[in-house]
Structure formats: structure tokens, C-alpha cells
Amino acid sequence: MLLRALCCCLFLGTILVTGKEDKGHISVVLLGATGDLARKYLWQGLFQLYLDQASEEHTFSFHGAALTPLEKGQGLMFDILKSLSCPADVLADRCALLKDQFLKLSSYRQLKTGENYTALHQDITNSLSEEGLREAGRLFYLSVPPFAYADIARNINASCRPTPGAWLRVVLEKPFGHDYETAKELAGVLQTFFREEEIYRIDHYLGKQTVQQILPFRRRNQKHLDPIWNRQHVDRIEIVMKETLDAKGRTSFYEEYGVIRDVIQNHLTEILTCVAMEVPLNLSNSDEVVREKLELLGSLDSLEHGSAVVGQYQDYLTQVREELEKPAHFFTNTHTFAGVLVHVENVRWDGIPFILASGKALDERTGYVRVVFKDRTFCVQKELNREPEKSLCAPKQIIFHIGHGELGFPAILVSRGLFKPSMPASSKWKEVSELPPIHIFGQPLSDFYVYSPIHERDAYAVLISNIYWGRKESFVTTKNLLASWSFWTPLLDILEGQSPRLYPGGSENGQLLDFVIQDGGLHFVSDQHLEMVNVGQKVDNFATLSSKFLNSTMVSDWADQLIQKLANDIQEAAKEAVKRSGTFHLALSGGSSPVALFQRLSRYHHGFPWKHTHLWLVDERCVPFSDPDSNFGSLEKHLLQHVRLPYINIHPMPVSKNQRLCAEEDLGSETYAQDISAHVLNASFDLILLGLGTDGHTASVFPGSKEGITGDKLIVLTESPSELRQRMSFSLALINKAKRVSVLVLGKGKHDIITLISRAKKNPTKWPVTGVNPTSGKLVWYIDYDALLK
């Protein structure tokens, strides 16, 4: 193949990092050569590199590699290569010639074992020797999953390094870890085999033409920007990437990473550094640029509980269940939308909010950086009588428009009231003279100086060129990577159990995801309730089921829809109670059945009157709250952490007093009964939620026990026959004082007890749940089809 390359007289060259021209041969090895990324971007980027460098008369060869056997891999790869295209400014005849040469310079080979790498090295070495060529470098592009990096790195280092004096560049695709610890571990593995200058971590947003221009733009226009690029003049900076597509087809990846790890920790954070860092005197010095980026990352203020708002696309849960074959009761808190408030602790930016936001299934596909300046000018003369470029009253902003959106092309926009930017021809950008009649952020495009690239280039083509030239500032170094993960990991830990706001997608989102900076954090603007109904299983054949159970109202459905109905009913009861008396007293049982209800209430019911709600426990095991068996612990994990409920409105059972558990002399039961009498009028709860045990117990009132079944005590201590430990519980006397009692029964495991008590006579001593009969309130059974029909 090298001989063919020489005969063609169209060869690739290399410029070393020092900038000195040094002719020689370069071998490019693309692992994952038949994958989706290679098909869409990488081969086209390599072809663009060849188009740019063909006339330099340096030799090179391309080796596509994958695990696929030779014959099949060759076919797949050359199908990709045949679809390559030239930019519009390349003449058709030249394009055809160069494409033909590129195909001749490319070959496929299987790289699966250590022996395969040894063979590749030997083939390259033998060809160089036979042709009398000096090796300039080897470029390995790893378009493979990160779990394969270690083995590939070991093989490259062991048997496929270039000859002494030639450079080695190894290109890696994200994700670079899942959090700080995993990123550190992966970085440590790579550093075992490669030097830092040999590692090129790709963040393709750093190849976007607009992003590539941020630092040069700031340098060229320094005389205008220096006085205003600071906290005295900037109001806020927005860094946004919106997508209209959802996560369908990528739910496996999203379940592991979510939107912050997928987009914000890397793409948007890298852009943040370009916008906020100090601009080095020499932008061509990679070390200086990288050092300033690291300095900026180190000055970011720590993220806290209120630093982010998160959402999840309405159909995401259904997509996960279908694609990952999850059961119907599976829930996930994975975020498909996030807005994060970031502050930079330095003299230039102290106190200025940086808003980073990204999401799927939004109303448009776009990406931009928007620098909004403070407006302190009052204009007496109306705007119609002013020249736009001299107006001081129009909102002033600089927008780095990365792409897509209504504008449709990468651009830099500067308000005419600010300054006319310097964009020399050498920058390969031009001023747009004919502007489309559109508005951007409420202003006509004519209010801005607008500049766009003379020729649009794909981000991967830009980055592959930068790899070739050794420009490290366009890539993520190990120190910068770990600094970024160190910043983001604490927030990810905080959000791990936080339920996201559900949103319908597209234009239907309305104002549901709008957020505001308030009290030092971010908060959704709207607390309105918006009920999302997922299409569930068809139940027409069950439509004639009785609506009564034990002479009380019964609601039956599949589990998901049943939980949805119960949550709606609880919210309506809450609103009625608040309207009637100003407060809503809700008592909740423990166990596994209510967990799905807690999750739904916290995720879907944004209009629930939590600040007027008092939460009580129906029963509690005599264990510390930190114990996994604690009912309050479960309630706190699945509900209380995710809703705004006043602390004084939370009433856990006092099972632990004086460093003892449920000791009679501590009078815990009497204390809780007194609290109820003090807060709940006539000890009549607005709603009590109960469960049903397989032995017929409810709350922690068990069969055969006198405690809680008879008598007037409100709170009793009982003992579970199966656990042989005490519990604290509402008595039947207290339960029957309630205005409304709901009994939730889920799963096939409850079918036998449901069948038994439906046929038996009322006998609270044998089946305590049959003693639930509100004196003046209403009893409703919520029973899913699995429990009812099996």
C-alpha cells in the first residue's frame, strides 16, 4: 500500500508540535472503522484532512480496524468510503481524483489480539524499510467503548509504538468516566501506557467552528471587551444546548449517564472555560491555553442542593421499560433535562450567574452562548428616531451561535449598540450582509453585527486537523478532566435520588421547564400541576368488574394506572382539606407498596399543597430511622427529599427516646397520641393510607393481638409475629375516626388474602383489616388486577 501511495505522488505531511516542517510517513489507524461514528463523521474527517494536505507531498497510509473478520470488515469499510464527498469549493475533477487516491491509501485489517497489533507494527516497519521512508508518527483513533481502552492501550504500548523519534497520538472518545473516581481510575490506566502529550481526548463541541472562535474573538476585540467583560457590566451568561430528539434508542446509555454527564459536564463546561478564562497572550501556545482553562476550573464555586433543576421527558420511562425490558413497576429518576447555576470565584466574575442548560425533547434544536450585558441607560427619544448602531437602549448582548436553531448556521452576533467587532479575512469568517427577517431572543437580526464562517466545516474534520497539527488546546487533558469531574460529582451525588419534573416534550412544554434564580439557587417558575397520562395496557375485558369490595368502594386497574389514580385522589383530597380548614393531615403506612406512590407524588404532582400538609406515620418498626427497615427512612428517601414540606409539618413516630427503642417507660405511644390530639381536630385525619399483609394485618395491628383491635387507645405498641420485634402503630379506633381511609393492595402475593377476606365474615381479631370501618368517613380499596384476579 505504501508503494501505491508513493506512485500517486499525493502524500500527507506532518508538522511537529514545535511548528517545524518535518517530512516523513504517518500511519493513521482508526479502530471501530465500521461503526456508526466512523460512518457518519470520522472517515469524512480523515478524507478532509487528506484534501487539505495532499499537496504537501508527505506520505501516509490509513488502516481501518475493527474486531470484524477481514472479508466482512473490508466490505463494510469500503461501502463507507465510497460515500465520501468533497466540500463545495473543491472542483469535481479534483474531488474524483483525490477520492480515488484516498481509497487506494486505505485498507482494512482485524485488530483483536496482541498478535494482530504485532503484525500491524511489523507491516508498517517493513514497508517503511522497503521504501526507504522515515516514520514521522502514528495516530490511533479509538472509536470504541471506553471499556476497551485498557486492552487496546496495552497492545499499542507493547507492540505497536512508532520507531524512536516519531510521535504517537492516541485519540479517545467520551465518556471519560462516570464520576471523579472512575475518571481518575481510567486516567491512571491510560497513563500507565501513554505520556500525557500522547493522549487526545475528543470533545467534539471544541471542534465546532463558533466554539473554536471564542478565544480568537476575545483576543482580536480585546480593546472593546476588556472594559465590559466582567462583573460590573455583564448581567448573566447562558450556555445552552437544546435537542428536539428524545432518548429513544439510547436509553441504555442514558440510564447510566443522564443529561449532565452526557452534555453538561463535558461540552458545556468546556465552553464555559473558553468564555470565562483569562485569554493567554499567545493563543498558539497550547500549554498556556490549557493552563488558563485549568485555572478557571479551579475557581468554580461548589455546587449545592439548590444549584440545579432537573426534568424527565414524559415518555422516557416507557422507552426504558421497552428497550431494556424492565417490569411494569420499574421507575427511574434519570434526568433528560437539567439547568445548573454556576458561579466563578474570581475578581472578574464574582457574583455573575453562569447558566448551563441542556435537554432532550425540547422545542428546538440549537446551541449557543449568550452574554447579556446590564442595561443602565434610560432613553428619552423613542427608538424609531435612532440609528441602530448608535442606540444605547436596545438590549446589549454577544451571542456565539453554535448551530441549528432558527438562524440555521454558525455565527457570532454583537449588538450594534456595543461595538463593531474586528473579524479579519485571515480568521476565515465574514460579515453577513443579507440577513434573514427573523428575530433572535426577541430582537430583529438587523440589531446585530452578524458574522459566519466563509466555509462551514464539520467539528470532527476540524478536530482531526488539530490532532494532525498537535494543537492540544482543542482537547481535554487529564488534569482538566479530573478538575471538571471533581466539580460535577458532588452535584451528581446530590441529584441521585431527586425526582425530576416530568415534561410532555416539544412545544407542549410551555413554561413547565422555565426556571428563575432565587435565594442563591434555581427554582422552577411554575408550580402548577400538569398531569401526564401514559398509555397503559388495555383493560376493556375487565370493565365489568364490581366496583365494591367488602361493601366499600373499590378502584381496580393495572398497578401503574392504579397508583396514578390513587395519587390523583390524594391530591384532590388535599386541595379540599386545605380549602376547608387550611391544612391537610395525611397519615402514611410503610412497606414496599407505597414506594411507587411516593415517587409519583414527588415527580408528577407539582401542584400538591405540600406547604399546607402535615405528614404522619401510620406505623413504624422500633428501629433507628437510619435502619433500612425504618418506615420513616423509606418515606424520607422516596418522598420527603423531593418535595417542599415544612420541617415542622413532619411527624415521625418517637420510637427512639433516651437512647432506647420503644421502651414503655418512655411513653412514646402516649407522646404521639398527644401530638395528634394537639394538631388534628378530633383526631380525625383527612386521609389515612393503609396496606394489607398476607396474614390480614393492616398498619401494625396483627391477628390475634388485643393491642390496637379493641379499646380506645389511639397509638399502641405491637409485636410482629414474623419479626419478633416491636412496632408502634395507629389503632383501629384511631383509623376509624378518619374522614377517608384508602387501602392499597398490589401484586399476586396478595391474591390469596384478598380472596379469603372477600368470602369470610368480618373478624378483626383474625383479620384486622376487616375492622377498618370509618365511623363517619369513607373507605376506598385500591386493588390492582394482579392481586384481584391473579
Side-chain angles (χ1 to χ4, degrees), residues 1 21 49 66 112 132 149 165 189 195 207 222 310 331 356 366 437 484 520 634 722 733 769:
M1 184 174 60
E21 184 175 325
L49 178 65
K112 190 174 183 179
Y149 287 170
V189 170
R195 298 189 299 274
Q222 195 164 7
V310 292
F331 281 88
L356 279 59
T366 189
S484 176
S634 176
S722 60
V769 73

Side-chain angles (χ1 to χ4, degrees), residues 60 99 140 171 279 290 293 367 440 447 452 489 575 583 611 656 688 691 707 787:
F60 71 99
K99 182 175 177 180
F140 287 83
V171 187
V279 182
V290 169
K293 284 187 176 184
I440 186 164
D447 280 2
S452 68
T489 297
K575 289 181 176 179
T583 58
K611 66 180 180 180
S656 178
I688 295 176
E707 296 297 336

